[in-house]
Amino acid sequence: MVIDFSAFYEFPNLLDRLAGDAGRTLAATRGRAQFPPLNIGEDDAAIRVRALVPGVDMDGLDITITDKTLVLKGELPVVRGRYYRQERPTGPFQRVVTLNVPIDRDRATATMKDGVLEIVLPKAQAVRPRTVHIEVR
Amino acid sequence: MTPPDRRPRFPHPASRPARQNERGGQGGPEGARQGRFAQSRQPPRMRPQADLVEREDGFHLFLDMPGVAHDGLVLDVEGDELTVRGMTRFGDCRDMGRDGGREATADAGPDVKAPPEPAPCGCGPAGGLRVHAMEFGDVEYHAVFTLSDMVDAARISAQLANGVLTIRMPKREAAAPRRITVEHV
C-alpha cells in the first residue's frame, strides 16, 4: 500500500529545490515509492493531471474530488503464474493531489488512453482571470 | 512492494536485461535519471519494467509501456533475440521538468554547452500551460530479451492493452512433457 500526500504545491519539493543536492537522495527514494507518477499542469481554464497507470482499466480506478483534494485510487492486478522475474508493481495504490483553487466538479472529466490517465479539472468560474475595464474619470 | 530479488535463475527468455542508458548517459545513473527530461531532444531510453511468468502453455512476458500507441511499437525477433521498442508521445514540455534546469547546468559537463533550444511546445512562462509537477516525460522504451530453446519463436504473439504489452511465448512442442508408453512384447 502506498499512500502519498505529495504533489501539488508541495512545500517539501520547494525546499528540495532550494537545498539543491541535499534533496536528491530523498527525491530518489521518493521517486520509487510514488505510484502512479503524475504530471500536473495548469492553464487559465483548468488543471490537468496526467498519470501513468499501465495495466489498470477505467473500471478499476476510483477518482474522487473533494473541495481541496483529488484522490486517485486503484489496484494493480497480480499476474497469475510462476514468476521468473517481477519488476512491475502490484497491489493497491493511492495518490492525493492538493488543489488550491475551487474546481467545477460537475464538469471534471477523465479519459484513459494507452495506460495514461488524463484528468481535466475545470476551474470554477469565480477564480478564472477576467479583464475588467475601469473607467478613468 | 516488489519482492527483493526474483530475477530469473534459469530459463532465460528474459535473463539478459537491456543495458540501460545505452545512449551514453553522462554522469552517474542517478544524475542521468533526474536530469534526463532536460538533456536533449532525443528522449531517454529506458527498459520497461517487466514480469515474466511461466504457465502451462508457455512463458508470458508483461511489459509496462504506458503512453505507447499501437503504431509506436516495434517487436523484432532475430535469431534468439527478441527486441522491443516503443516511443511515447506525451507531448509534454521536457524543459519544464522539476529538476530540469538545475540538473542540466550542474551535471551536463562541457559537452553540452550549446544554448538551450526553444521548447517545441507552447509551455513556459509565455505559453498557456504552467507545469507544477512533472514526474514522467517522453521516453523510448527499449528491451532485448534472449529466448531460450524452449520457446517456439515462430509462434510468439503479442498484444497491447492499457499500456501493458503482453508477449506470449509458447513452448516448443518437443519441450512439452511426454510420457512414453512401454509396449508389451
Side-chain angles (χ1 to χ4, degrees):
Chain A
M1 183 72 189
V2 179
I3 301 181
D4 180 357
F5 298 97
S6 70
F8 204 11
Y9 295 114
E10 185 193 31
F11 188 61
N13 274 345
L14 297 176
L15 282 180
D16 284 357
R17 214 178 290 182
L18 286 174
D21 290 4
R24 193 175 298 171
T25 46
L26 178 66
T29 51
R30 202 180 49 213
R32 210 172 302 131
Q34 280 177 333
F35 186 91
L38 299 178
N39 277 4
I40 303 173
E42 175 188 9
D43 57 19
D44 289 343
I47 291 172
R48 290 161 207 277
V49 179
R50 290 210 270 180
L52 296 187
V53 283
V56 183
D57 56 10
M58 211 60 186
D59 300 332
L61 271 177
D62 180 13
I63 303 165
T64 314
I65 306 170
T66 65
D67 283 343
K68 293 264 185 247
T69 56
L70 163 72
V71 182
L72 185 63
K73 270 191 260 188
E75 181 153 4
L76 293 167
V78 180
V79 173
R80 180 179 56 82
R82 191 170 147 218
Y83 274 100
Y84 288 107
R85 170 189 294 208
Q86 184 177 18
E87 294 168 357
R88 299 167 64 224
T90 58
F93 61 83
Q94 167 171 319
R95 281 203 73 171
V96 179
V97 178
T98 312
L99 306 171
N100 70 337
V101 290
I103 294 299
D104 188 352
R105 273 187 273 176
D106 296 333
R107 293 197 302 121
T109 57
T111 51
M112 180 84 95
K113 186 172 179 294
D114 298 327
V116 181
L117 173 74
E118 175 157 23
I119 304 171
V120 179
L121 306 167
K123 292 183 190 174
Q125 285 291 343
V127 296
R128 292 198 197 172
R130 276 184 304 169
T131 309
V132 180
H133 291 285
I134 301 172
E135 201 176 320
V136 180
R137 278 183 281 184
Chain B
M1 185 170 287
T2 308
D5 192 42
R6 298 177 77 172
R7 294 289 149 76
R9 261 145 291 170
F10 132 69
H12 37 140
S15 62
R16 206 192 79 185
R19 295 169 294 266
Q20 290 196 339
N21 290 321
E22 288 178 22
R23 203 167 271 143
Q26 43 288 74
E30 207 49 57
R33 172 170 301 166
Q34 291 209 347
R36 67 185 173 190
F37 295 149
Q39 288 197 352
S40 70
R41 268 176 186 281
Q42 193 80 295
R45 185 179 269 200
M46 69 177 271
R47 192 174 65 81
Q49 290 182 309
D51 280 1
L52 174 67
V53 297
E54 181 185 357
R55 295 178 190 161
E56 295 78 33
D57 55 342
F59 297 98
H60 296 244
L61 186 59
F62 298 86
L63 299 167
D64 274 350
M65 301 174 81
V68 177
H70 198 262
D71 55 358
L73 187 64
V74 180
L75 267 83
D76 286 317
V77 177
E78 201 177 325
D80 63 347
E81 282 204 341
L82 171 68
T83 308
V84 182
R85 283 169 204 276
M87 294 288 287
T88 62
R89 298 254 184 276
F90 296 122
D92 284 332
C93 186
R94 290 208 302 276
D95 300 334
M96 294 291 287
R98 191 194 284 172
D99 300 308
R102 174 169 63 85
E103 290 288 336
T105 49
D107 289 354
D111 51 337
V112 195
K113 272 282 164 59
E117 297 170 1
C121 54
C123 309
L129 195 71
R130 302 183 290 282
V131 177
H132 290 293
M134 190 156 185
E135 297 172 1
F136 62 88
D138 273 324
V139 292
E140 178 188 355
Y141 293 109
H142 183 255
V144 181
F145 301 101
T146 306
L147 303 172
S148 87
D149 292 343
M150 297 166 68
V151 170
D152 188 349
R155 290 195 294 139
I156 292 176
S157 62
Q159 64 181 52
L160 182 68
N162 281 332
V164 179
L165 175 67
T166 307
I167 302 175
R168 295 149 56 86
M169 298 178 284
K171 290 181 193 169
R172 233 180 258 278
E173 290 299 328
R178 190 166 67 99
R179 176 165 289 177
I180 299 167
T181 52
V182 181
E183 295 171 24
H184 290 282
V185 182

